[in-house]
Amino acid sequence: MSIKDTWTLAGKDYGSRLIVGTGKYKDFEETAAAVEASGAEIVTVAVRRVNVSDPNQPMLVDYLDPKKITYLPNTAGCFDADSAVRTLRLAREAGGWDLVKLEVLGDQKTLYPNMPATFEAAESLIKDGFKVMVYCNDDPIAAKQLEDMGCVAIMPLGAPIGSGLGIQNPVHIRLIVEQTSVPVLVDAGVGTASDAAAGMELGCEGILMNTAIAEAKDPILMASAMKHAVWAGRQAYLAGRMPKKLYADPSSPLSGLI
Protein backbone atom coordinates (compact mmCIF):
# COMPACT_ATOMS: atom_id res chain seq x y z
CA MET A 1 0.00 0.00 0.00
CA SER A 2 1.21 3.50 -0.77
CA ILE A 3 2.36 5.57 2.17
CA LYS A 4 0.13 8.33 0.75
CA ASP A 5 -3.07 6.68 1.98
CA THR A 6 -4.79 9.89 2.97
CA TRP A 7 -8.38 10.61 3.89
CA THR A 8 -10.45 13.75 3.47
CA LEU A 9 -12.38 15.56 6.19
CA ALA A 10 -14.37 18.69 5.38
CA GLY A 11 -12.29 19.31 2.28
CA LYS A 12 -8.84 18.84 3.88
CA ASP A 13 -6.58 15.80 3.46
CA TYR A 14 -4.94 14.08 6.44
CA GLY A 15 -2.32 11.37 6.63
CA SER A 16 -2.96 10.16 10.19
CA ARG A 17 -6.22 8.34 10.83
CA LEU A 18 -5.87 8.63 14.60
CA ILE A 19 -7.54 11.55 16.38
CA VAL A 20 -6.65 12.01 20.03
CA GLY A 21 -8.13 13.95 22.91
CA THR A 22 -6.25 16.40 25.08
CA GLY A 23 -7.88 15.75 28.45
CA LYS A 24 -6.97 13.60 31.47
CA TYR A 25 -3.20 14.01 31.14
CA LYS A 26 -1.15 15.09 34.15
CA ASP A 27 -0.05 18.29 32.39
CA PHE A 28 0.24 19.93 28.97
CA GLU A 29 3.79 18.62 28.56
CA GLU A 30 2.54 15.04 28.71
CA THR A 31 -0.33 15.93 26.40
CA ALA A 32 2.07 17.28 23.80
CA ALA A 33 4.40 14.29 24.09
CA ALA A 34 1.51 11.84 23.65
CA VAL A 35 0.16 13.69 20.63
CA GLU A 36 3.61 13.64 19.03
CA ALA A 37 4.01 9.91 19.69
CA SER A 38 0.57 9.21 18.24
CA GLY A 39 1.31 11.01 14.99
CA ALA A 40 -2.14 12.60 15.19
CA GLU A 41 -2.86 15.62 13.01
CA ILE A 42 -6.20 16.40 14.70
CA VAL A 43 -6.78 16.83 18.44
CA THR A 44 -10.08 17.26 20.23
CA VAL A 45 -10.40 19.99 22.82
CA ALA A 46 -13.11 20.08 25.48
CA VAL A 47 -13.86 23.79 25.31
CA ARG A 48 -15.51 23.81 28.73
CA ARG A 49 -12.52 22.12 30.43
CA VAL A 50 -9.30 23.03 28.58
CA ASN A 51 -7.89 26.55 28.61
CA VAL A 52 -7.59 27.90 25.06
CA SER A 53 -8.33 31.57 25.68
CA ASP A 54 -7.02 32.79 29.08
CA PRO A 55 -3.41 33.97 28.62
CA ASN A 56 -2.98 34.30 32.39
CA GLN A 57 -3.12 30.51 32.75
CA PRO A 58 -1.20 27.73 30.95
CA MET A 59 -2.72 27.41 27.48
CA LEU A 60 -2.88 24.34 25.27
CA VAL A 61 -1.93 26.40 22.21
CA ASP A 62 1.49 27.00 23.79
CA TYR A 63 2.18 23.26 23.62
CA LEU A 64 0.30 22.21 20.47
CA ASP A 65 0.64 24.68 17.61
CA PRO A 66 -2.79 25.21 16.02
CA LYS A 67 -1.00 26.14 12.79
CA LYS A 68 0.41 22.61 12.60
CA ILE A 69 -2.35 20.58 14.26
CA THR A 70 -6.06 20.87 13.57
CA TYR A 71 -7.98 21.74 16.72
CA LEU A 72 -11.38 20.10 17.00
CA PRO A 73 -13.47 21.80 19.71
CA ASN A 74 -15.97 19.45 21.31
CA THR A 75 -18.95 19.77 23.61
CA ALA A 76 -17.90 17.28 26.28
CA GLY A 77 -20.00 17.82 29.38
CA CYS A 78 -23.05 19.20 27.55
CA PHE A 79 -26.36 17.53 28.34
CA ASP A 80 -28.73 19.65 26.24
CA ALA A 81 -28.76 21.12 22.75
CA ASP A 82 -28.64 24.76 23.82
CA SER A 83 -25.47 24.41 25.91
CA ALA A 84 -23.75 22.45 23.12
CA VAL A 85 -24.57 25.09 20.51
CA ARG A 86 -23.54 27.91 22.84
CA THR A 87 -20.24 26.18 23.68
CA LEU A 88 -19.25 25.80 20.03
CA ARG A 89 -20.22 29.36 19.17
CA LEU A 90 -17.93 30.53 21.97
CA ALA A 91 -15.17 28.29 20.60
CA ARG A 92 -15.55 29.84 17.17
CA GLU A 93 -15.29 33.31 18.66
CA ALA A 94 -12.19 32.33 20.68
CA GLY A 95 -10.25 30.52 17.98
CA GLY A 96 -12.09 30.87 14.70
CA TRP A 97 -12.81 27.14 14.60
CA ASP A 98 -15.74 25.99 12.48
CA LEU A 99 -14.87 22.27 12.27
CA VAL A 100 -16.33 20.92 15.51
CA LYS A 101 -17.24 17.72 17.28
CA LEU A 102 -20.77 17.65 18.62
CA GLU A 103 -21.74 15.44 21.51
CA VAL A 104 -24.89 15.88 23.56
CA LEU A 105 -24.98 13.41 26.43
CA GLY A 106 -28.02 11.75 27.91
CA ASP A 107 -26.95 11.17 31.52
CA GLN A 108 -23.89 11.24 33.74
CA LYS A 109 -23.81 7.48 34.37
CA THR A 110 -23.69 6.13 30.81
CA LEU A 111 -22.60 9.23 28.83
CA TYR A 112 -24.64 7.81 25.98
CA PRO A 113 -25.75 10.29 23.32
CA ASN A 114 -29.09 12.03 23.72
CA MET A 115 -30.10 11.54 20.12
CA PRO A 116 -33.12 13.92 19.95
CA ALA A 117 -30.98 16.70 21.41
CA THR A 118 -28.11 15.74 19.09
CA PHE A 119 -30.37 16.15 16.05
CA GLU A 120 -31.57 19.51 17.36
CA ALA A 121 -28.07 20.82 18.00
CA ALA A 122 -26.69 19.48 14.71
CA GLU A 123 -29.43 21.19 12.72
CA SER A 124 -28.79 24.52 14.46
CA LEU A 125 -25.01 24.34 14.04
CA ILE A 126 -25.15 23.37 10.37
CA LYS A 127 -27.48 26.28 9.66
CA ASP A 128 -24.98 28.51 11.47
CA GLY A 129 -22.16 27.47 9.14
CA PHE A 130 -20.37 24.89 11.30
CA LYS A 131 -18.83 21.72 9.89
CA VAL A 132 -20.21 19.18 12.31
CA MET A 133 -18.62 15.87 13.23
CA VAL A 134 -21.21 14.12 15.35
CA TYR A 135 -20.95 11.58 18.19
CA CYS A 136 -23.92 9.22 18.00
CA ASN A 137 -25.30 5.82 18.90
CA ASP A 138 -24.22 2.87 16.77
CA ASP A 139 -27.60 3.05 15.04
CA PRO A 140 -27.49 2.89 11.21
CA ILE A 141 -30.84 4.70 10.85
CA ALA A 142 -29.83 7.62 13.08
CA ALA A 143 -26.42 7.77 11.43
CA LYS A 144 -28.01 8.07 7.99
CA GLN A 145 -30.29 10.86 9.18
CA LEU A 146 -27.29 12.79 10.53
CA GLU A 147 -25.44 12.39 7.24
CA ASP A 148 -28.51 13.54 5.29
CA MET A 149 -28.71 16.62 7.52
CA GLY A 150 -25.22 17.63 6.42
CA CYS A 151 -22.84 16.38 9.11
CA VAL A 152 -19.30 16.06 7.72
CA ALA A 153 -18.42 12.93 9.74
CA ILE A 154 -20.36 10.28 11.63
CA MET A 155 -18.82 9.08 14.89
CA PRO A 156 -20.63 6.09 16.41
CA LEU A 157 -19.54 4.93 19.84
CA GLY A 158 -17.68 1.66 20.15
CA ALA A 159 -18.60 1.40 23.84
CA PRO A 160 -19.42 3.90 26.60
CA ILE A 161 -17.03 6.86 26.87
CA GLY A 162 -13.98 6.02 28.95
CA SER A 163 -14.98 2.38 29.46
CA GLY A 164 -12.15 0.78 27.48
CA LEU A 165 -14.46 -2.11 26.58
CA GLY A 166 -13.65 -2.07 22.87
CA ILE A 167 -16.13 -2.25 20.02
CA GLN A 168 -19.23 -3.96 21.35
CA ASN A 169 -21.35 -3.96 18.19
CA PRO A 170 -19.17 -4.45 15.11
CA VAL A 171 -22.18 -5.42 12.99
CA HIS A 172 -23.77 -1.99 13.37
CA ILE A 173 -20.47 -0.18 12.84
CA ARG A 174 -19.96 -2.10 9.60
CA LEU A 175 -23.49 -1.27 8.43
CA ILE A 176 -22.90 2.42 9.13
CA VAL A 177 -19.64 2.31 7.17
CA GLU A 178 -21.29 0.60 4.20
CA GLN A 179 -24.10 3.13 3.88
CA THR A 180 -22.20 6.34 4.59
CA SER A 181 -20.42 8.57 2.07
CA VAL A 182 -18.77 10.89 4.64
CA PRO A 183 -16.04 9.63 6.99
CA VAL A 184 -17.06 7.23 9.76
CA LEU A 185 -14.86 7.18 12.86
CA VAL A 186 -15.23 5.03 15.95
CA ASP A 187 -15.51 7.41 18.88
CA ALA A 188 -15.39 6.20 22.50
CA GLY A 189 -14.73 2.86 24.12
CA VAL A 190 -11.31 1.97 22.74
CA GLY A 191 -9.12 0.48 25.46
CA THR A 192 -6.05 -0.91 23.75
CA ALA A 193 -4.34 -1.28 20.40
CA SER A 194 -6.34 -4.31 19.25
CA ASP A 195 -9.57 -2.32 19.68
CA ALA A 196 -8.24 0.39 17.37
CA ALA A 197 -7.16 -2.16 14.78
CA ALA A 198 -10.57 -3.84 14.93
CA GLY A 199 -12.33 -0.56 14.17
CA MET A 200 -10.11 0.10 11.19
CA GLU A 201 -10.62 -3.45 9.90
CA LEU A 202 -14.36 -2.69 9.73
CA GLY A 203 -13.58 0.02 7.17
CA CYS A 204 -13.73 3.10 9.37
CA GLU A 205 -11.79 6.11 8.14
CA GLY A 206 -10.30 6.66 11.56
CA ILE A 207 -10.47 6.24 15.33
CA LEU A 208 -10.87 8.86 18.04
CA MET A 209 -9.67 8.19 21.56
CA ASN A 210 -8.55 9.92 24.74
CA THR A 211 -8.79 7.79 27.88
CA ALA A 212 -7.10 4.74 26.32
CA ILE A 213 -3.92 6.78 25.96
CA ALA A 214 -4.17 9.25 28.83
CA GLU A 215 -4.94 6.63 31.49
CA ALA A 216 -2.46 4.02 30.29
CA LYS A 217 0.43 3.31 32.68
CA ASP A 218 2.74 4.71 30.00
CA PRO A 219 0.69 7.17 27.90
CA ILE A 220 3.52 7.95 25.49
CA LEU A 221 4.18 4.30 24.70
CA MET A 222 0.44 3.62 24.34
CA ALA A 223 0.13 6.57 21.94
CA SER A 224 2.79 4.98 19.77
CA ALA A 225 1.03 1.61 19.98
CA MET A 226 -2.23 3.19 18.85
CA LYS A 227 -0.53 4.84 15.88
CA HIS A 228 0.74 1.46 14.69
CA ALA A 229 -2.56 -0.30 15.43
CA VAL A 230 -4.58 2.14 13.35
CA TRP A 231 -2.11 1.76 10.50
CA ALA A 232 -2.15 -2.05 10.74
CA GLY A 233 -5.94 -2.15 10.83
CA ARG A 234 -6.14 0.07 7.78
CA GLN A 235 -3.69 -2.14 5.87
CA ALA A 236 -5.64 -5.26 6.84
CA TYR A 237 -8.89 -3.71 5.63
CA LEU A 238 -7.39 -2.78 2.28
CA ALA A 239 -5.71 -6.16 1.92
CA GLY A 240 -8.99 -8.03 2.42
CA ARG A 241 -8.99 -10.74 5.04
CA MET A 242 -9.38 -14.43 4.23
CA PRO A 243 -12.91 -15.85 4.61
CA LYS A 244 -13.80 -17.51 7.88
CA LYS A 245 -14.33 -21.27 7.58
CA LEU A 246 -16.07 -23.85 9.74
CA TYR A 247 -13.34 -26.46 9.32
CA ALA A 248 -9.60 -26.71 8.87
CA ASP A 249 -8.04 -26.05 5.48
CA PRO A 250 -4.46 -27.31 5.05
CA SER A 251 -1.88 -24.71 4.16
CA SER A 252 -0.27 -27.11 1.72
CA PRO A 253 -2.36 -28.63 -1.10
CA LEU A 254 -3.15 -32.35 -0.93
CA SER A 255 -2.96 -32.99 -4.66
CA GLY A 256 0.24 -34.51 -5.99
CA LEU A 257 1.25 -36.15 -2.72
CA ILE A 258 3.40 -39.27 -2.92
Side-chain angles (χ1 to χ4, degrees):
M1 184 182 70
S2 169
I3 198 70
K4 296 180 180 179
D5 175 50
T6 60
W7 63 295
T8 304
L9 173 64
K12 184 176 179 179
D13 293 337
Y14 295 92
S16 172
R17 295 173 180 271
L18 175 59
I19 300 175
V20 297
T22 53
K24 300 187 176 182
Y25 293 95
K26 65 181 182 182
D27 51 37
F28 282 150
E29 286 86 354
E30 186 178 69
T31 303
V35 172
E36 182 177 3
S38 75
E41 298 170 309
I42 305 174
V43 298
T44 63
V45 181
V47 181
R48 302 180 69 185
R49 298 171 180 165
V50 177
N51 179 33
V52 293
S53 59
D54 183 0
N56 296 316
Q57 301 292 330
M59 294 178 64
L60 182 64
V61 293
D62 294 330
Y63 296 85
L64 295 174
D65 187 351
K67 295 179 180 179
K68 297 178 180 178
I69 294 178
T70 297
Y71 274 50
L72 183 64
N74 70 41
T75 55
C78 292
F79 290 85
D80 61 83
D82 288 343
S83 64
V85 170
R86 184 169 58 254
T87 296
L88 292 177
R89 285 175 175 160
L90 289 171
R92 183 165 62 181
E93 290 178 10
W97 300 297
D98 60 0
L99 178 65
V100 296
K101 180 198 165 188
L102 171 65
E103 55 182 80
V104 186
L105 306 176
D107 61 51
Q108 190 66 50
K109 182 178 180 180
T110 68
L111 300 181
Y112 260 62
N114 179 329
M115 292 309 297
T118 297
F119 283 117
E120 180 184 345
E123 182 177 22
S124 178
L125 290 166
I126 291 167
K127 286 181 178 178
D128 201 15
F130 285 92
K131 301 170 185 175
V132 178
M133 303 172 68
V134 59
Y135 168 66
C136 60
N137 284 337
D138 54 355
D139 175 355
I141 305 304
K144 184 60 179 174
Q145 290 175 316
L146 289 165
E147 179 187 9
D148 290 344
M149 288 174 62
C151 293
V152 300
I154 307 300
M155 308 178 74
L157 56 82
I161 291 172
S163 68
L165 291 171
I167 296 173
Q168 296 297 294
N169 200 340
V171 173
H172 280 192
I173 301 292
R174 179 179 56 79
L175 290 172
I176 292 172
V177 169
E178 289 178 356
Q179 73 179 15
T180 307
S181 59
V182 298
V184 175
L185 302 97
V186 167
D187 178 11
V190 169
T192 191
S194 56
D195 300 331
M200 295 304 297
E201 289 171 7
L202 292 170
C204 292
E205 290 283 5
I207 308 288
L208 189 153
M209 66 183 72
N210 187 175
T211 308
I213 296 175
E215 294 193 356
K217 291 182 179 179
D218 186 334
I220 313 307
L221 186 58
M222 183 61 81
S224 176
M226 292 300 187
K227 174 177 70 175
H228 290 93
V230 168
W231 178 237
R234 175 65 177 171
Q235 286 181 303
Y237 171 72
L238 293 177
R241 65 157 291 147
M242 62 167 284
K244 294 183 179 181
K245 302 172 184 178
L246 293 177
Y247 301 101
D249 185 8
S251 299
S252 302
L254 297 177
S255 60
L257 291 179
I258 297 174

